[in-house]
Amino acid sequence: MKKTSTRLADGRELIYYDLRDDTVRDAVDRRPLDRTVTTSEVRRDVLLGDSVAIASHRQGRTYHPPADECPLCPTQGERLSEIPDSSYDVVVFENRFPSLAGDSGRCEVVCFTSDHDASFAALTAEQARLVLEAWTDRTSELSHLPSVEQVFCFENRGEEIGVTLGHPHGQIYAYPFTTPRTALMLRSLATHKEATGGENLFDAVLERELAGERVVLEGEHWAAFVPYAAHWPYEVHLYPKRRVPDLLALDEAARTEFPQIYLELLRRFDRIFDGGDGGNEGAGEPPTPYIAAWHQAPFGALEEFDGVTRDDFALHLELFTIRRTSGKLKFLAGSESGMSVFINDVPPERAAERLREVASS
């Protein structure tokens, strides 16, 4: 992998990640851009104990442009985009309309491929490995920023999720605090560790799932399963079998196997609504909308979680779709949005069975 860092016309950082070591990246951003001005502010909710990012400048962000005006495609002639070069393998750059900025953290965009009509599932194993290396490198770099406490790599796919740019891409949020979801895991981890005399809750969960009926895929170094208490109709958790706190700690064997496991998982997600799921509109169903979310240990202090260290946390990816059957979405209505109590219409055991049935050819 070759890494080349440059600056866009408004001062934002852009980084090329290339498969070939002899690739030269010297294209200049020719757009007449003013320096980016953001209004991001993090406010604490004293009743719930969580935080909200207020980012009014995002109202003006690019919204469903036509394909020939996509800002994530490479620059071609006088059609200028966020990527100055005429081609790329993987690119990461500071978001022009960030939810978090300055002392409130940082937001980055990750373009998985220059092919506008592709998807992550369509990448080769070599390309997917390069994305993994980019995620890992950015986690390392962002963790050293003084305002950053947790790094979150994720992909939103599909208009149903709220994606406004059709080009295959993900994002990285670098938060100035430990996120509420991670804090809940850490509290459960601490409680279980104390109650069992030191047993790790993540290890216990993985061991239980591997012995059960909800395993979807299993390799030598990774395991994917539908969790016992899945919140979403189709939800899969992907764990390295050797517990590590973050992407940086994955060994070479796990990095090598990851593309095969993850690409197969994504391809199965694209097939689950192609008939046979109880709906009658499966044929021609649009690609499955999903969120893929990496959970990594925070880099900040963990004193509030008694007896827990970073090494107790288990890196894992959660992949889920808001589609519950062909042509129907799972909405977060009163119970979910008002009380944070999810109601799942698809039994996790059936979801796992379905994902085993649709093994890609």
Side-chain angles (χ1 to χ4, degrees):
M1 178 191 79
K2 181 180 180 182
K3 175 183 174 183
T4 306
S5 180
T6 185
R7 292 282 172 179
L8 296 174
D10 55 8
R12 289 174 293 131
E13 185 178 18
L14 179 143
I15 306 157
Y16 295 98
Y17 293 89
D18 287 295
L19 292 168
R20 292 174 55 97
D21 290 337
D22 59 352
T23 304
V24 176
R25 299 293 185 187
D26 55 8
V28 176
D29 185 3
R30 293 179 282 132
R31 296 174 297 171
L33 298 179
D34 295 328
R35 294 195 68 85
T36 300
V37 177
T38 64
T39 56
S40 180
E41 175 190 0
V42 174
R43 296 184 180 180
R44 183 77 170 171
D45 185 322
V46 296
L47 290 179
L48 295 180
D50 59 11
S51 299
V52 177
I54 310 297
S56 60
H57 62 276
R58 286 176 53 78
Q59 286 280 37
R61 65 188 184 274
T62 308
Y63 187 80
H64 293 301
D68 60 357
E69 296 179 16
C70 175
L72 306 185
C73 287
T75 289
Q76 297 294 333
E78 294 307 308
R79 193 180 75 88
L80 309 179
S81 75
E82 288 279 65
I83 296 91
D85 216 324
S86 59
S87 66
Y88 63 84
D89 292 334
V90 173
V91 164
V92 176
F93 60 88
E94 288 184 76
N95 198 321
R96 190 177 179 186
F97 304 96
S99 301
L100 307 166
D103 293 339
S104 297
R106 175 159 157 153
C107 292
E108 298 183 340
V109 176
V110 184
C111 297
F112 303 139
T113 171
S114 60
D115 184 352
H116 181 85
D117 298 316
S119 67
F120 201 117
L123 300 181
T124 66
E126 185 180 36
Q127 289 173 309
R129 170 65 186 262
L130 184 61
V131 175
L132 175 63
E133 296 306 323
W135 283 331
T136 304
D137 180 71
R138 296 314 301 153
T139 296
S140 175
E141 292 293 327
L142 293 171
S143 71
H144 290 98
L145 296 180
S147 63
V148 172
E149 190 165 312
Q150 186 172 357
V151 179
F152 175 45
C153 307
F154 65 101
E155 179 192 1
N156 297 329
R157 205 273 288 266
E159 290 187 18
E160 300 94 328
I161 297 293
V163 174
T164 58
L165 296 176
H167 197 103
H169 72 287
Q171 299 181 66
I172 302 175
Y173 277 22
Y175 297 100
F177 49 80
T178 296
T179 62
R181 189 173 177 85
T182 302
L184 286 173
M185 294 184 200
L186 291 168
R187 292 189 189 101
S188 296
L189 192 62
T191 299
H192 186 84
K193 188 174 185 179
E194 181 179 6
T196 60
E199 182 182 65
N200 184 278
L201 180 57
F202 286 112
D203 292 349
V205 167
L206 182 58
E207 182 180 358
R208 181 187 69 183
E209 294 292 356
L210 287 177
E213 59 181 317
R214 290 180 295 275
V215 175
V216 175
L217 279 171
E218 185 177 358
E220 183 179 354
H221 304 284
W222 293 86
F225 58 87
V226 177
Y228 171 74
H231 289 58
W232 299 93
Y234 289 90
E235 175 182 339
V236 175
H237 294 189
L238 178 61
Y239 276 67
K241 290 185 175 179
R242 182 180 70 88
R243 172 166 43 91
V244 294
D246 52 39
L247 290 166
L248 303 172
L250 287 173
D251 60 23
E252 181 59 27
R255 292 180 183 280
T256 299
E257 187 181 75
F258 171 77
Q260 290 90 3
I261 297 290
Y262 188 49
L263 290 173
E264 172 65 15
L265 195 57
L266 291 179
R267 289 161 187 165
R268 292 191 188 193
F269 255 61
D270 272 342
R271 294 166 64 93
I272 52 178
F273 299 110
D274 188 19
D277 66 325
N280 56 13
E281 303 129 354
E285 188 77 27
T288 302
Y290 65 72
I291 292 174
W294 280 109
H295 291 265
Q296 305 191 79
F299 289 94
L302 301 179
E303 285 86 355
E304 64 181 290
F305 309 104
D306 294 338
V308 171
T309 68
R310 290 194 79 249
D311 289 335
D312 290 320
F313 195 86
L315 167 76
H316 62 284
L317 181 142
E318 296 183 8
L319 173 68
F320 60 90
T321 179
I322 62 171
R323 188 177 291 164
R324 55 187 174 88
T325 188
S326 297
K328 298 177 182 178
L329 300 180
K330 164 65 178 175
F331 291 102
L332 300 189
S335 186
E336 292 88 355
S337 295
M339 285 289 129
S340 294
V341 178
F342 275 68
I343 300 169
N344 190 351
D345 301 322
V346 180
E349 293 73 23
R350 173 54 186 152
E353 180 183 22
R354 177 66 181 146
L355 285 162
R356 289 194 298 268
E357 290 173 351
V358 295
S360 64
S361 57

